[in-house]
Amino acid sequence: MKPLSLFLLIILLSAACRRPAVPQPAATKDPFYDKGLALLDSRKDSAFYYFNKVVSRNKDSLQTAKAYNLMSVLQSEAGDYFGAQESLSQSLKQLSEHNPKHRKCLAADYNELGLTSATLRQYADAISYYDKALGFCDLPDLRLRILNNKALAYEKMPDYPRAIRMFQQVLLETKPNRVEYARTLSNLTRTQWLHDPKYPAVPALLRALAIRQRLHDSHGENASYAHLSDYYLAGRRDSALVYSRAMYRTARQIASPDDQLQALQKLIRLEEPAVASRLFIRYLFLNDSLQHARNAAKNQFALIRYQVEKNRLENLQLQKDNAEKKYQLVIRDALLVAGFALLVILVSSGRVWYSKWKKRKEQEKQEAILETRRKASKDVHDSLSNDIYLLMKRIKHDPVLDRDELRSQAEYIYKRSRDVSYELLSDTGELFPAKTGELLKSFGTEDTKISLVGNSPAFWQKVSTGAKSELKLILQELMVNMEKHSRAANVVVKFESRGNAGLITYMDDGTGIPEHTVHQNGLTNTGTRINAIRGRITFGNNDAKGLKIEISFPFI
């Protein structure tokens, strides 16, 4: 049994980041934050919604941190402790340990992390968070509460001697006849009894109960009844039953389902079988209702976060679209202002560039033709000219000519000349598709299958010599990247013609490219090569799994 219900405990321990009980906080610059505060104790899902709106749009880091802290409180109350820890982590990211204005919220965040860790029975982590909270705590009352929580964590470990010393320290620094004094006294006495079952705990426990009753601290009364019931359980079951009934009655008055469940557990053990049977049915119903309510709250919080994030992204996209439209209007106006003179400059520059580019391409083509002709000339000189010379010599000097043999030699020379003409007319890069296919498939292994589609001479005939070289290097870099990082089982490279442009699509079923990936030198060079052939490369993920890359480029 916790000394206070979870709801009250969280409110007390987050006081540095939350509104104090008195006076009420002044209105802030963020209306969503103020709405969240107003609904904090009545409509928790609406309060969570407004705090989530704050963290999605507010530029004030401290205001955002406070909103995250309040979201974590609501999540803890709903039993979503891991979600609460995530919100607290986001809160801490907004804060600076070196900013004096952030110290109160830092103390509250670490204290909340200690509470959630203790609830999850991660007591060593809880103690570490409490120590960090104490390092930023400048409020005496909050410091004593954190020490009390730390002592409770030591008790749960259990490390009773250390817990006792810490409770005693807190008790010495707390004014008597206050709620905090009664809480610490009750916790100290319970720990002493757990450490030594013979310890006479009743006087101190009753004294703490009397203080709580006098101060109308219903949550504290509930804790005292639990401690007294636990104490009497072993020896005086009738007294234990009296205090268990008082605990159940008080828990129902303060509407604390957790405390009701604990009281019912005690009563089921202590009541007569007939009564215990009815209480057991009540326990099952209440436990099921509580779990259902908490699951519903968790789902509601998750839905709120999803919807707010979705709206935020849609607003960002709308802002981006509006900015692009404004930019386009500015560009259009600028072009209109520049007028005909700018248009003439652009056209003239384009003509000069196109002329140089066309001249360079024509020169490359002529060099390829000359190289083919030089080769053919060599063949003509080394082979055909000698054959023709020998034929002429025979016609001139051979007194008896065999017409069939002469015709056979002439046909042979004709065939050789036709072969040379074919060499002159054929594409010097006709082996490029095969060599490219061999290069890509060389990356295949027993675990990785490489498939090619459309790697045909008809496709590559439309590609310039320079573009072929660049594309070959680009494809090689993609396959190297695949081999190093993708862990793909299947890779497909598809070659397509689309009008005056070519499209090469790379697809695999590997791990894909994570968000915010920083491209290394290889992929950076790939982008440079694409620019060199006036192309475009697009990286993305397949719908199901893996990576998809599209390379488009003009044929001419």
Side-chain angles (χ1 to χ4, degrees):
M1 168 65 196
K2 300 176 184 177
L4 291 174
S5 70
L6 179 61
F7 175 66
L8 180 61
L9 188 57
I10 292 175
I11 289 179
L12 288 173
L13 293 173
S14 60
C17 228
R18 298 186 59 174
R19 51 180 178 175
V22 178
Q24 292 295 322
T28 65
K29 296 180 180 179
D30 193 325
F32 289 133
Y33 186 85
D34 294 335
K35 288 181 180 179
L37 286 178
L39 298 170
L40 190 61
D41 297 326
S42 57
R43 297 176 57 189
K44 301 184 186 305
D45 56 341
S46 298
F48 188 91
Y49 169 81
Y50 286 115
F51 290 138
N52 201 50
K53 293 279 284 185
V54 173
V55 303
S56 66
R57 63 186 287 275
N58 197 299
K59 300 301 177 67
D60 186 334
S61 60
L62 181 57
Q63 189 87 74
T64 302
K66 291 179 179 180
Y68 270 123
N69 180 277
L70 292 167
M71 290 167 66
S72 76
V73 171
L74 294 170
Q75 288 170 299
S76 292
E77 292 174 5
D80 185 9
Y81 303 112
F82 293 108
Q85 289 181 335
E86 180 183 355
S87 295
L88 290 168
S89 176
Q90 293 298 323
S91 178
L92 289 172
K93 290 180 181 179
Q94 306 296 322
L95 301 172
S96 170
E97 296 183 357
H98 306 291
N99 190 334
K101 295 181 180 180
H102 293 184
R103 288 178 61 83
K104 292 180 181 179
C105 204
L106 282 166
D109 280 350
Y110 283 121
N111 187 59
E112 291 290 341
L113 283 169
L115 286 172
T116 55
S117 297
T119 303
L120 295 170
R121 300 183 181 181
Q122 299 168 351
Y123 302 117
D125 291 341
I127 291 171
S128 176
Y129 287 129
Y130 290 140
D131 286 337
K132 290 182 179 180
L134 290 169
F136 294 102
C137 183
D138 302 319
L139 302 174
D141 289 343
L142 180 59
R143 174 180 169 275
L144 294 177
R145 292 171 188 150
I146 296 172
L147 287 173
N148 183 80
N149 292 336
K150 185 177 177 181
L152 283 173
Y154 277 122
E155 178 203 299
K156 298 294 184 182
M157 290 184 71
D159 186 346
Y160 297 133
R162 188 173 294 186
I164 290 170
R165 290 195 299 271
M166 194 161 293
F167 279 133
Q168 289 174 338
Q169 175 189 349
V170 175
L171 197 64
L172 289 174
E173 298 181 28
T174 305
K175 295 179 180 179
N177 298 322
R178 293 183 58 185
V179 170
E180 292 80 5
Y181 184 88
R183 179 180 64 244
T184 306
L185 177 61
S186 187
N187 287 338
L188 170 61
T189 306
R190 168 183 163 81
T191 307
Q192 289 173 321
W193 166 64
L194 290 173
H195 184 51
D196 180 9
K198 297 180 179 179
Y199 181 80
V202 173
L205 291 176
L206 291 176
R207 180 184 173 195
L209 174 60
I211 295 174
R212 287 166 160 170
Q213 289 174 334
R214 186 168 60 253
L215 298 175
H216 304 291
D217 178 15
S218 299
H219 290 275
E221 281 187 57
N222 199 60
S224 288
Y225 293 141
H227 291 174
L228 286 163
S229 176
D230 291 339
Y231 178 81
Y232 282 120
L233 185 61
R236 295 175 56 182
R237 296 176 64 88
D238 55 341
S239 297
L241 179 60
V242 169
Y243 287 115
S244 295
R245 288 173 176 170
M247 178 187 177
Y248 183 55
R249 183 173 59 255
T250 306
R252 295 186 66 178
Q253 290 174 354
I254 63 177
S256 173
D258 286 316
D259 291 337
Q260 289 182 54
L261 288 174
Q262 291 191 33
L264 285 170
Q265 287 178 335
K266 299 177 187 298
L267 290 172
I268 290 169
R269 297 175 59 186
L270 296 169
E271 290 282 8
E272 295 295 329
V275 178
S277 178
R278 293 196 302 271
L279 293 175
F280 181 69
I281 294 174
R282 171 64 182 168
Y283 174 86
L284 292 178
F285 173 78
L286 182 60
N287 184 62
D288 182 68
S289 299
L290 179 60
Q291 294 303 320
H292 178 75
R294 285 181 169 172
N295 289 334
K298 292 179 187 178
N299 293 335
Q300 182 70 6
F301 291 157
L303 181 62
I304 289 171
R305 274 190 160 173
Y306 167 78
Q307 192 62 44
V308 171
E309 181 65 14
K310 179 173 178 290
N311 293 339
R312 186 184 70 85
L313 293 177
E314 289 177 351
N315 289 334
L316 288 177
Q317 185 62 42
L318 181 60
Q319 293 175 13
K320 180 181 177 181
D321 293 342
N322 290 336
E324 289 179 353
K325 290 179 181 178
K326 290 180 180 179
Y327 176 75
Q328 291 172 359
L329 290 174
V330 170
I331 294 298
R332 187 194 65 181
D333 293 342
L335 290 174
L336 291 175
V337 171
F340 183 73
L342 181 58
L343 181 61
V344 170
I345 293 174
L346 292 175
V347 172
S348 300
S349 301
R351 286 182 175 178
V352 171
W353 176 86
Y354 179 76
S355 177
K356 291 182 178 179
W357 176 82
K358 186 175 181 181
K359 183 177 180 181
R360 184 175 71 252
K361 292 298 178 182
E362 185 64 26
Q363 183 177 358
E364 291 176 356
K365 182 178 179 181
Q366 293 299 325
E367 289 177 355
I369 293 173
L370 289 174
E371 178 61 27
T372 303
R373 288 179 176 176
R374 280 195 293 270
K375 181 181 178 183
S377 176
K378 184 175 183 299
D379 288 344
V380 170
H381 179 272
D382 294 344
S383 179
L384 289 178
S385 60
N386 290 335
D387 291 340
I388 294 172
Y389 175 76
L390 290 174
L391 181 61
M392 292 173 60
K393 187 176 181 181
R394 287 195 62 187
I395 294 172
K396 183 177 181 180
H397 299 289
D398 195 341
V400 181
L401 290 176
D402 187 337
R403 296 178 63 84
D404 292 336
E405 183 180 354
L406 188 63
R407 184 170 56 252
S408 176
Q409 289 184 2
E411 288 177 352
Y412 173 74
I413 293 173
Y414 169 73
K415 183 179 179 181
R416 291 291 309 278
S417 64
R418 185 180 61 182
D419 292 341
V420 172
S421 68
Y422 284 162
E423 286 187 27
L424 288 170
L425 295 173
S426 65
D427 181 9
T428 57
E430 62 185 2
L431 297 179
F432 187 82
K435 292 181 179 179
T436 301
E438 291 175 1
L439 171 66
L440 297 177
K441 289 195 173 184
S442 67
F443 288 88
T445 64
E446 293 181 356
D447 299 324
T448 304
K449 179 182 177 181
I450 310 296
S451 300
L452 305 181
V453 179
N455 181 35
S456 64
F459 174 84
W460 290 108
Q461 283 175 357
K462 303 176 184 178
V463 184
S464 67
T465 303
K468 286 180 181 178
S469 301
E470 297 293 348
L471 288 169
K472 182 177 180 181
L473 292 173
I474 290 170
L475 290 171
Q476 177 177 312
E477 184 59 38
L478 294 181
M479 300 303 286
V480 169
N481 187 70
M482 176 277 296
E483 188 176 51
K484 288 182 178 179
H485 306 295
S486 75
R487 299 195 294 274
N490 295 282
V491 178
V492 177
V493 184
K494 185 177 181 181
F495 303 83
E496 301 174 84
S497 297
R498 293 189 176 179
N500 294 325
L503 177 65
I504 300 176
T505 304
Y506 167 95
M507 295 179 288
D508 67 34
D509 58 0
T511 58
I513 297 181
E515 294 184 5
H516 313 301
T517 298
V518 178
H519 291 171
Q520 302 299 324
N521 291 336
L523 292 180
T524 301
N525 292 336
T526 297
T528 303
R529 297 186 190 282
I530 285 293
N531 292 334
I533 62 174
R534 297 183 295 121
R536 181 178 180 183
I537 185 167
T538 304
F539 292 84
N541 293 328
N542 285 332
D543 293 337
K545 177 183 178 185
L547 175 65
K548 181 177 181 181
I549 302 174
E550 291 186 342
I551 302 170
S552 59
F553 59 94
F555 282 132
I556 299 176

